[in-house]
Amino acid sequence: MKTTAIAPSNIAFIKYWGKKDEELRLPANGSISVNLSNLLTTTTVEFNKSLKTDDITINGKRDAKKANRVMKHLERIRAVARIPTKARVVSQNNFPTAGGLASSASGFAALTIAGTKAAGLSLKEKELSILARQGSGSACRSVPDGFVEWLDGDTDKTSFAISLYPPSYWDIAIVVVLAGNEEKSVLTSEGMRFVKSNPFYPVRLSNMGRKIKELKQYMKKRDFERFGMLVESEALELHAMALTSAPPIIYWQPLTMRVMKLVQGIRSRYFPVYFTIDSGPHVCIVCEKKNQNLLIQKLRQQNIQDIIINKPSLGTRLTSNHLF
Ligand code: DP6
């Protein structure tokens, strides 16, 4: 059976940075995110007995390195479904895959949902999140709807993501400013390895429980200003970790810094607005929906044109619009 899934990317408000088990992708700490409505991966999977090997096309290309990771994930799906059959996979992003836009999150979430269904399985959301996590950690957060928490867990079966609130819970806008188009210089998995010897890292981890609790309280009260301040300082902490790792990693480009300064300037003069940044140069700006147009106007005034506007989104879902 041919099956297609659409998965959103997600941006973390509390970041996943470091693994306690690399193979299983158990994170060193829990994390919190929101799914993004306009950063999507569509993936079609079909298991076909006439295939001798998996046939994988991503964004119109057959790339051996990317295909390898996809094939590993297909192996996981085949193991659960107890089938030997090879698959054809076609996957398409609606956004550029370069530098830090989390294509692995939406990519592995879409592959998990389309792949398991195509293999004849009908797994529950929790099981799908566990499986997606093994492909790419952040992918487990793209499975449930809206605002999501990844419970770190100590074992394969206890590390998965759950929905905290549906997309409609909070009228916020997430505007992504593209600040570079190179492929990532340091892979996320490498960055997470380097941080292990960082002397500041244990301090970060020891504060995590409190930080997650605090953020969830602000979300519960829809206290946008306290929420935003914590989100922004958490993003800066992630980059402080990267900057002080050995070897050091600088994910920012000059435009990244310009946008950070601009956001802080707009905040001090006009309305509450905050930024967060993953392991790449792009900046995600978060504001209340009512201020979205004004924010875009301010960005355009500064000649910042390359933006993707998002609202909170559903998680991964099936569609009948197949790619082949
Ligand atoms: C900085 O999920 O890409 O975006 O598990 O190695 O595939 P792997 O890592 P990945 O890491 C995302 C890291 C981050 C923070 C976050 O999304 O929480």
Side-chain angles (χ1 to χ4, degrees):
M1 186 182 33
K2 192 185 292 181
T3 311
T4 302
I6 300 182
S9 185
N10 67 75
I11 179 74
F13 298 133
I14 301 278
K15 309 291 188 186
Y16 150 49
W17 198 244
K19 299 179 176 98
K20 54 190 171 207
D21 185 314
E22 280 206 31
E23 194 49 40
L24 286 172
R25 287 193 153 78
L26 297 180
N29 58 270
S31 53
I32 294 180
S33 62
V34 68
N35 289 326
L36 301 173
S37 61
N38 209 9
L39 288 168
L40 303 170
T41 300
T42 303
T43 301
T44 301
V45 181
E46 184 176 42
F47 289 92
N48 186 331
K49 288 197 171 117
S50 68
L51 290 172
K52 293 214 161 46
T53 53
D54 291 317
D55 178 11
I56 294 147
T57 306
I58 301 171
N59 295 320
K61 289 189 203 137
R62 286 188 167 88
D63 171 325
K65 214 168 145 197
K66 287 191 179 135
N68 232 341
R69 203 165 156 189
V70 170
M71 265 145 59
K72 248 184 123 175
H73 204 58
L74 288 171
E75 284 306 330
R76 293 184 188 107
I77 293 170
R78 280 190 278 260
V80 181
R82 296 166 195 263
I83 55 167
T85 323
K86 302 294 181 194
R88 179 162 180 214
V89 177
V90 176
S91 187
Q92 192 68 43
N93 292 337
N94 75 334
F95 58 91
T97 22
L101 271 185
S103 59
S104 69
S106 51
F108 281 95
L111 179 63
T112 303
I113 275 75
T116 51
K117 191 88 187 161
L121 295 163
S122 35
L123 303 183
K124 296 200 175 69
E125 181 183 279
K126 175 177 160 179
E127 297 162 321
L128 291 166
S129 181
I130 288 171
L131 198 52
R133 188 202 77 231
Q134 296 173 23
S136 178
S138 55
C140 78
R141 295 189 312 235
S142 286
V143 175
D145 290 341
F147 296 82
V148 171
E149 179 174 14
W150 177 2
L151 308 164
D152 57 340
D154 287 322
T155 61
D156 181 42
K157 296 284 167 254
T158 55
S159 187
F160 57 92
I162 54 167
S163 178
L164 294 173
Y165 301 105
S168 60
Y169 175 73
W170 212 359
D171 247 349
I172 60 169
I174 308 100
V175 177
V176 180
V177 177
L178 300 173
N181 52 14
E182 311 148 34
E183 286 280 340
K184 275 193 206 189
S185 49
V186 182
L187 292 173
T188 303
S189 49
E190 275 182 297
M192 290 197 195
R193 229 169 277 144
F194 299 159
V195 81
K196 288 210 158 170
S197 58
N198 185 325
F200 302 109
Y201 189 53
V203 179
R204 168 173 170 75
L205 292 183
S206 70
N207 287 328
M208 253 315 155
R210 182 197 49 77
K211 205 188 239 192
I212 289 173
K213 215 166 132 195
E214 208 179 312
L215 193 84
K216 282 167 75 174
Q217 271 167 12
Y218 299 150
M219 289 171 82
K220 192 170 178 188
K221 291 189 208 152
R222 295 194 187 85
D223 183 339
F224 187 70
E225 295 187 29
R226 287 200 172 87
F227 167 81
M229 284 312 293
L230 191 56
V231 166
E232 193 171 295
S233 78
E234 160 64 1
L236 289 169
E237 187 175 291
L238 167 81
H239 288 272
M241 291 301 120
L243 290 164
T244 53
S245 288
I249 313 168
I250 305 171
Y251 284 113
W252 301 339
Q253 291 292 332
L255 181 58
T256 315
M257 180 61 83
R258 230 184 97 212
V259 175
M260 287 194 269
K261 291 280 189 191
L262 182 64
V263 168
Q264 294 192 333
I266 297 173
R267 181 160 81 230
S268 67
R269 293 176 58 196
Y270 301 105
F271 55 86
V273 59
Y274 307 89
F275 64 77
T276 179
I277 307 169
D278 279 345
S279 50
H282 314 302
V283 186
C284 290
I285 308 177
V286 189
C287 70
E288 290 163 294
K289 181 75 201 304
K290 62 182 182 201
N291 293 318
Q292 177 185 306
N293 289 344
L294 200 50
L295 171 67
I296 292 161
Q297 193 188 320
K298 300 271 170 222
L299 293 172
R300 298 231 193 276
Q301 276 167 8
Q302 296 298 318
N303 204 24
I304 294 166
Q305 309 285 359
D306 224 353
I307 61 173
I308 302 171
I309 302 164
N310 297 275
K311 58 184 181 181
S313 158
L314 289 172
T316 307
R317 60 267 181 195
L318 293 167
T319 167
S320 52
N321 297 325
H322 305 305
L323 295 180
F324 61 87

